[in-house]
């Protein structure tokens, strides 16, 4: 009979505990959680704050009692594992309630401590109105501060998943909100031009979006004269009253009533490090593909570990719930005699930003450049379902692929409908090893309310294959500013579109439907750079031109992609 100790619940640890019990009724399984909750929906926390999830108890997936009843797992909340003695195969545990310590032996140990919010040492950052959000106690503290301080203005620092969700939660509650992001874009898993759609959506809701600036210092301004009369004028209630004055690194200052720090997380690897376990380059716990650490009796899963990137094969740090759950299952299988391997992390993710969804899978262009991986890219902007059926929304899709092998390297999408469907399809295709050539043959469901006869995926694959086969000569939005005197910009949209949505300075305008009869207006000694709104008419014009002996390129993704890059 094996004795398995699990450090940490939530996604990885709880999944491993449940799987281990399903595999063995005899194993003794003890799970330690230093907080009061063993299994909770941490991805749902911002949605409870914003009011979408009304019932707090819905966030509690399992309790110690339910885990014991269903899985016969001894769950010890408010018990923190503080030390691992690998030689004796024991752990030291501190009872967080009474401060007592005890030891527990193990045959196999699983580490699932997760990742902790990173807060830089900013002057004045430690104050009662500044919070991070990782777990239910954090959520409760934020809600208490909001109840006591009744904020009219909130500031979120960090434009990642939690930061964007908290921004929306505050807006939903009628609280004016500022979002500060040090990078020049939110949502770093996607590239800047795709983040542009998110920027436009954020600004359209009146959010004060500040990109390319960082929080430099915080000044806490207590106001002890406005205590909550109804709650009784306790010192605690008075302490929570007040405001913050924020100073940014560009010299700007702003006053806010609540500050959320959400600039990223770091793996909780201190316990592993102190036990002498090997760490990776990102500070996460090293594991092999069986989720085994450098000690064969100790496994690790979830946000605390470094996992293998599916595309590059290199170690990475991608704290997502899906990989954590799968790793927990694999570790449990292997601890009980199985032989399963983790197949790498694609980083498939999605976030809701008001009415917009932004999603991605695989590598973005920034990373491919940094890794010096050869790639080509295409953009399509097309309807989520048949455009003539009510409710169709534009899906903007970026597809990155290898020009040599046709391998799918990554994809990003933004839109109000059908974004998850397209990225999920591409995540499956990427994991299955499908090429761009094979992607164009995908047969997807079609009826006017649900899709199109030529789906967004098919269309992206058609454009990509045209490039690979030499049937299209692309130019991209980030090359438009570097045109030479030997190139001529040709806008093939209708004149009314130029008035309504804008145009590129210096372009001449010949609508695509007039092009055949007006080609004589174009010089044959220059390369014609064709563009339209999304790239489709541009391709029609491009083919007309090259078939008539002109040298030409088509702006992939059209003016829409160029505009998004400027948001």
């Amino acid at each position: 009979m094996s004795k398995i100790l699990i450090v940490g619940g939530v996604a990885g640890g709880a999944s491993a505990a449940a799987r281990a019990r399903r595999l063995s009724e005899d194993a003794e399984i003890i799970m330690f959680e230093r907080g009061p909750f063993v299994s909770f929906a941490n991805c749902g926390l911002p949605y409870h704050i914003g009011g979408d999830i009304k019932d707090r108890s819905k966030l509690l997936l399992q309790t110690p009692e339910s885990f014991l009843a269903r899985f016969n797992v001894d769950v010890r909340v408010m018990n923190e594992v503080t030390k691992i003695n690998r030689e004796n195969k024991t752990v030291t545990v501190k009872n967080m309630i009474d401060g007592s310590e005890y030891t527990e032996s193990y045959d196999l140990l699983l580490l699932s401590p997760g990742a902790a919010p990173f807060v830089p040492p900013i002057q004045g950052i430690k104050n009662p109105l500044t919070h991070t959000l990782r777990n239910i106690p954090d959520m409760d503290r934020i809600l208490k501060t909001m109840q006591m301080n009744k904020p009219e203005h909130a500031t979120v620092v960090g434009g990642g998943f939690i930061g964007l969700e908290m921004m929306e939660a505050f807006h939903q509650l009628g609280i004016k909100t500022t979002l500060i992001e040090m990078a020049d874009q939110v949502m770093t898993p996607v590239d800047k031009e795709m983040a542009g759609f998110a920027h436009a959506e954020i600004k359209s809701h009146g959010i004060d979006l500040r990109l390319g600036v960082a929080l430099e210092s915080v000044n806490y301004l207590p106001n002890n004269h406005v205590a909550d009369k109804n709650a009784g004028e306790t010192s605690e209630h008075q302490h929570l009253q007040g405001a913050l004055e924020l100073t940014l690194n560009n010299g700007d200052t702003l006053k806010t009533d609540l500050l959320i720090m959400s600039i990223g997380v770091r793996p909780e690897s201190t316990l592993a490090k102190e036990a002498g376990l090997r760490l990776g380059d990102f500070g996460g716990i090293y594991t092999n593909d069986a989720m085994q650490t450098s000690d064969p009796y100790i496994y690790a899963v979830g946000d605390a570990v470094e996992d293998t990137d599916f595309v590059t094969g290199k170690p990475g740090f991608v704290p997502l719930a899906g990989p954590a759950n799968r790793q927990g299952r694999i570790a449990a299988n292997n601890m009980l005699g199985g032989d399963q391997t983790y197949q790498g992390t694609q980083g498939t993710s999605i976030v809701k930003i008001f009415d917009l969804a932004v999603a991605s899978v695989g590598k973005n262009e920034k990373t491919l450049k940094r890794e010096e991986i050869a790639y080509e890219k295409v953009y399509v902007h097309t309807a989520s379902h048949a455009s003539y059926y009510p409710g169709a929304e534009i899906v903007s899709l970026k597809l990155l692929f290898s020009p040599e092998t046709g391998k799918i390297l990554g994809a990003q999408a933004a839109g109000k409908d059908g974004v998850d469907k397209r990225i999920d399809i591409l995540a499956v295709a990427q994991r299955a090893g499908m090429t761009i050539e094979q992607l164009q043959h995908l047969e997807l469901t079609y009826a006017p309310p649900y899709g199109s006869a030529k789906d967004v995926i098919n269309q992206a694959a058609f454009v990509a294959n045209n490039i690979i086969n030499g049937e299209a000569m692309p130019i991209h939005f980030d090359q438009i500013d570097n045109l030479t005197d030997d190139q001529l910009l040709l806008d093939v949209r209708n004149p009314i579109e130029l008035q309504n949505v804008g145009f590129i300075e210096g372009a001449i305008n010949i609508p695509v439907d007039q092009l055949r009869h007006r080609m004589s207006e174009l010089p044959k000694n220059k390369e014609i750079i064709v563009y339209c709104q999304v790239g489709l008419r541009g391709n029609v014009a491009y083919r007309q031109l090259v078939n008539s002996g002109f040298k030409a390129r088509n702006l992939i993704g059209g003016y829409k992609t160029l505009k998004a890059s400027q948001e």
Side-chain angles (χ1 to χ4, degrees), residues 172-298:
Q172 196 160 299
L173 294 170
I175 301 169
K176 292 179 181 177
T177 307
T178 295
L179 178 64
I180 296 169
E181 170 56 59
M182 188 164 66
D184 61 356
Q185 65 168 92
V186 302
M187 276 294 289
T188 52
V190 305
D191 291 307
K192 186 174 185 295
E193 71 278 14
M194 298 302 291
F197 296 107
H199 298 161
E201 182 74 5
I202 290 166
K203 291 180 214 172
S204 74
H205 283 78
I207 302 295
D208 175 22
L209 177 62
R210 305 197 185 194
L211 299 172
V213 292
L215 179 61
E216 196 167 75
S217 66
V218 180
N219 184 22
Y220 174 49
L221 307 169
N223 183 3
N224 290 332
H225 301 294
V226 285
D228 188 340
K229 302 288 184 186
N230 296 324
E233 295 190 16
T234 66
S235 59
E236 180 186 22
H237 293 157
Q238 290 180 337
H239 186 52
L240 286 169
Q241 299 289 340
L244 301 174
E245 186 179 65
L246 310 181
T247 302
L248 308 182
N249 65 349
N250 63 355
D252 288 350
T253 61
L254 68 119
K255 196 173 179 181
T256 195
D257 305 311
L258 179 60
L259 176 62
I260 304 295
M261 296 298 295
S262 181
I263 61 174
V265 296
R266 287 185 172 176
E268 287 265 30
S269 54
T270 303
L271 186 64
K273 182 179 180 181
E274 290 176 350
L277 296 176
R278 177 180 165 190
L279 302 185
D281 292 338
F282 296 91
I285 303 168
Y286 161 83
T287 64
N288 60 20
D289 58 11
M291 305 315 300
Q292 217 167 17
T293 69
S294 53
D295 183 321
Y297 298 102
I298 303 177

Side-chain angles (χ1 to χ4, degrees), residues 382-383 422 444 446 451-459 462 536:
T382 191
R422 273 64 187 210
L444 304 173
Y446 165 56
S452 301
K454 285 193 295 187
D455 190 79
V456 181
I457 302 290
N458 300 120
Q459 294 204 34
F462 294 154
L536 187 59

